[in-house]
Structures are given as structure tokens and as C-alpha cells.
Amino acid sequence: METKIANITEENLTEESVQEILKEAGDIIKAGGLVAFPTETVYGLGGDGLNPDSSRKIYAAKGRPSDNPLIIHICKWEALEEIVEDIPKKAELLAQAFWPGPLTLVLKKADKVPKETTGGLDTVAIRMPDDKVALAFIEAAGGYIAAPSANTSGRPSPTLAKYVYQDLQGKIELILDGGQVCIGLESTIVDLTEEIPMILRPGYVTKEMLEEVIGEVACDKTLMNADSSQAPKAPGMKYKHYAPKGQLTIVSGTEEKVVCYINEQTKKAREAGKTVGVIATDATKPLYQASVVKSAGDRQQEETVAKELYRILREFDDEEIDVIFSESFGTNGIGQAIMNRLLKAAGYHVENV
Ligand code: AMP
Ligand code: MG
């Protein structure tokens, strides 16, 4: 299969040729095919969420285990009522506050949602993305797009269309290229089937933001911890995700000690014939001696780090870096999501210096 790429942005959305592409994308989905599309979080790999064959194709294209459920993306409120058994008050409040946006709600599924889409579960994860291209595509495709991130399972989620192409060329019909995504990390997932709503995956919408709207919110204890004996409640979180090819170590401590430690380790790795990459920040980039040093952004504005993190991990793969050191980030606000992804990418390997 040849994978076509089409440029489509908020700016050119109303042009006739772009409207034709949207229609083509919608027709592909309705015929059971797959289309990758931009959202504000990461690129999604979309299929018809109500068609079990489409969901099977998504798992096959990604090489994703079929017990790892997909998120259904909708473009209007009424669509939610169609695919869940009921809408608890707290779900309504959260959707009002954060949709369209980077928040996924887990609710009891209605019968029409196939178990292929939910990885065999009786619950379904739903989100309305805050991206004009995504919303127009969902509308054109019938309103229910099952979409995990558009990467090969186990690789960093794509924040640019070229990375979708790298992973999925020849496996899907079309990629809608909307440029670099805005947030860069996957949505926050909240389970509303529990008495106390629970965060299953941290993201841009933080615990504090949720609590302002619905009161107490719990956090799945497995999120920041390697050796919990409990299984994570979002099936996807149990898999080794976001793994770069090089061996990644997170180094935590004062700036001076971190720089010193990473420079020492760089020297050792070089002597052993290995290539070294460092994930730094704007202020510390000039201090490192490794041959490849990349700034993830401004430590004072961690959203900038969230946006560039996956791109950097992928670039290290392309550059065949053997050993990667990363600075550590805060665990408040978006920092929690950054650290959750980095810890997974590092197999929870942290050096405290
Ligand atoms: P992705 O879209 O690739 O980020 O993956 C979707 C994430 O949502 C995975 O971690 C899934 O395990 C999680 N997820 C989807 N549906 C459910 C559900 N019904 N209950 C719990 N987690 C879910
Ligand atoms: Mg994913």
C-alpha cells in the first residue's frame, strides 16, 4: 500500500482542495481504512471506532498488543451520549471544563462500542481533541475515531508527520500533515468509573486542575514507580513505552553536580568507544562536553520541554547514539507527565548525584 501525505492546517482548512482531502480521509475511514492525523497532544492513528475490523487493523499497523485499548475521539458532545452507558455528573463537569482539550475520560461503554476497540474492557476512553484539523477529520469520518498514538508500539509518540511516515509508511492509506503538534505529550487519562476519580496517565491537565473542578482525585500509584507490585489501571501503561534505542539514564541533583557527573560519564563512555547524547535545557546546554547535546527547552517553562522531548528521543535514534543522559525535571504540573514518560523511556534508571 502506498501511504499518501497531505498538508492540512487550520489556515488552509477551508480551501476547496483541502476540503476534498478531508472528504477522502473520511471515506477511507468509512471503508474501514486508516488515516493518521494531528491533534494538540501527539499524532493519532485513526480508524472507525465502531468497526471491530478497523480496530484490529490499528493494532496490526502499530504492532500493538490487542489488550491495550484505544481512545475514541469525538467532535461533539452528543457523540458522548451515544457511546457510554451513562454520563456521571463529574464527567459532565470535566468535559465542560476541558473539552475540547488534552483530557481523556474513561466511562462505562455502551453496547455499540466493540470490545476490539476497548481491548476487551467494559469501559471506553473518550476525548475531544482541541485541534481544528482533527475535529474536521472526525466529523468527515462519521464522528467516532479510535486512535492510539501514530507510532510503532514501543517507540516515542510522533510530534511531527515525518515520524508517522517513518513508522507507518506502507501500512496506512493517508497521513494528514498539520505540522508540529502543540503539547507534545499524550492526554491525561481519568477513570470516572471509580468512586474517587483516578488519574491513570498524567498529562497537560494536572491533578490540581482536575480537583478545582470535581474535588478529590486519586492517582494510580504505579505512575512514577518502577517496583510497584500492582498492575497499572490503564493497560497501556504496563508496557515498556517510549523507549529510545540508546541506553537512557536520568541524572538528578543540583545543576552543578548533574553537569559534573554527566561530563565524567561522557568521558568514560567515549573511552569505551560509545557515542553520547545529552538532554539538557537552554541554560545548561553550553556546559556539557558530549558530542551531541540537545536542549529540550526552558526549565522555567516546562511546557517547552514537553513539546520537544519525543522529537529529541527520536533524533538520538536516527543519529545512532549509544548512551543518553538526561537532566531530571520537576514532578509538579506538566513536570509530572514529563517525568512519567522519561522514567519509562529510561526503564526507571535514575542516578541521584
Ligand atoms: P495511546 O492513545 O497510544 O496513548 O494509548 C491509549 C492509552 O489509553 C493506553 O495507555 C490505554 O491503556 C489507555 N486506555 C484506553 N482505554 C482505556 C480504558 N477503557 N481503561 C483504561 N485505560 C484505557
Ligand atoms: Mg501510545
Side-chain angles (χ1 to χ4, degrees):
M1 174 191 310
E2 202 192 324
T3 301
K4 202 169 134 180
I5 304 182
N7 284 309
I8 176 165
T9 59
E10 199 177 325
E11 287 74 39
N12 72 11
L13 203 52
T14 53
E15 287 172 19
E16 204 174 313
S17 60
V18 175
Q19 285 294 312
E20 273 166 29
I21 290 165
L22 270 179
K23 178 164 185 319
E24 185 187 335
D27 290 345
I28 291 170
I29 296 293
K30 288 174 185 166
L34 305 182
V35 175
F37 64 103
T39 78
E40 81 279 35
T41 58
V42 298
Y43 274 79
L45 169 57
D48 181 352
L50 303 186
N51 178 348
D53 287 336
S54 299
S55 293
R56 283 193 203 102
K57 277 192 199 167
I58 291 175
Y59 290 113
K62 279 182 63 93
R64 178 176 174 115
S66 60
D67 68 346
N68 186 0
L70 311 175
I71 294 171
I72 296 189
H73 293 68
I74 58 173
C75 60
K76 47 181 160 238
W77 173 259
E78 301 81 69
L80 177 64
E81 293 164 359
E82 291 292 314
I83 54 175
V84 300
E85 214 174 74
D86 71 326
I87 305 175
K89 187 70 193 163
K90 286 179 183 174
E92 195 180 323
L93 291 171
L94 289 179
Q96 267 166 8
F98 297 106
W99 281 1
L103 178 68
T104 296
L105 305 178
V106 173
L107 296 164
K108 288 238 154 52
K109 82 174 189 69
D111 288 343
K112 68 156 71 157
V113 179
K115 289 236 171 158
E116 282 77 1
T117 300
T118 65
L121 299 175
D122 293 326
T123 53
V124 58
I126 305 156
R127 174 167 109 83
M128 190 189 293
D130 185 14
D131 181 293
K132 294 262 177 351
V133 173
L135 293 171
F137 162 61
I138 296 164
E139 172 92 60
Y144 304 95
I145 294 292
S149 49
N151 52 292
T152 298
S153 207
R155 298 218 61 206
S157 298
T159 53
L160 287 158
K162 70 173 179 181
Y163 295 132
V164 179
Y165 190 74
Q166 207 177 58
D167 283 9
L168 298 175
Q169 59 173 300
K171 296 180 175 169
I172 64 176
E173 281 85 347
L174 176 64
I175 299 170
L176 301 176
D177 181 353
Q180 185 177 12
V181 301
C182 182
I183 293 177
L185 295 179
E186 304 84 348
S187 60
T188 307
I189 302 180
V190 183
D191 184 353
L192 286 146
T193 65
E194 306 263 345
E195 176 76 13
I196 297 171
M198 183 180 281
I199 297 178
L200 307 188
R201 176 173 75 184
Y204 185 85
V205 177
T206 62
K207 183 170 189 277
E208 294 74 28
M209 287 157 78
L210 296 168
E211 285 184 333
E212 256 182 50
V213 180
I214 55 166
E216 188 182 0
V217 171
C219 243
D220 186 347
K221 293 207 172 42
T222 65
L223 291 183
M224 311 300 271
N225 186 352
D227 28 60
S228 168
S229 52
Q230 254 177 293
K233 297 201 166 225
M237 300 301 274
K238 75 175 178 243
Y239 294 106
K240 186 170 184 261
H241 248 183
Y242 325 116
K245 290 177 194 156
Q247 196 203 338
L248 170 62
T249 303
I250 302 167
V251 185
S252 174
T254 61
E255 181 184 306
E256 199 185 330
K257 284 194 173 157
V258 168
V259 170
C260 182
Y261 177 84
I262 292 180
N263 282 336
E264 269 171 28
Q265 294 301 314
T266 298
K267 195 155 165 269
K268 279 192 200 158
R270 267 210 199 120
E271 281 163 8
K274 297 195 164 142
T275 52
V276 182
V278 175
I279 303 178
T281 44
D282 292 348
T284 57
K285 190 176 175 217
L287 307 176
Y288 292 106
Q289 287 151 12
S291 43
V292 189
V293 183
K294 295 178 193 282
S295 171
D298 179 356
R299 183 173 284 286
Q300 305 310 320
Q301 288 173 282
E302 286 188 334
E303 318 83 67
T304 59
V305 176
K307 190 167 171 171
E308 304 299 338
L309 180 66
Y310 285 150
R311 174 183 62 76
I312 290 178
L313 290 176
R314 282 198 175 244
E315 283 177 3
F316 280 144
D317 282 355
D318 294 343
E319 291 158 11
E320 307 204 328
I321 300 292
D322 301 315
V323 179
I324 306 166
F325 295 100
S326 175
E327 294 181 5
S328 177
F329 295 90
T331 46
N332 290 323
I334 184 82
Q336 194 190 15
I338 295 170
M339 278 310 281
N340 168 266
R341 309 312 194 269
L342 255 185
L343 282 164
K344 282 170 157 289
Y348 296 91
H349 186 198
V350 183
E351 285 295 336
N352 291 298
V353 295

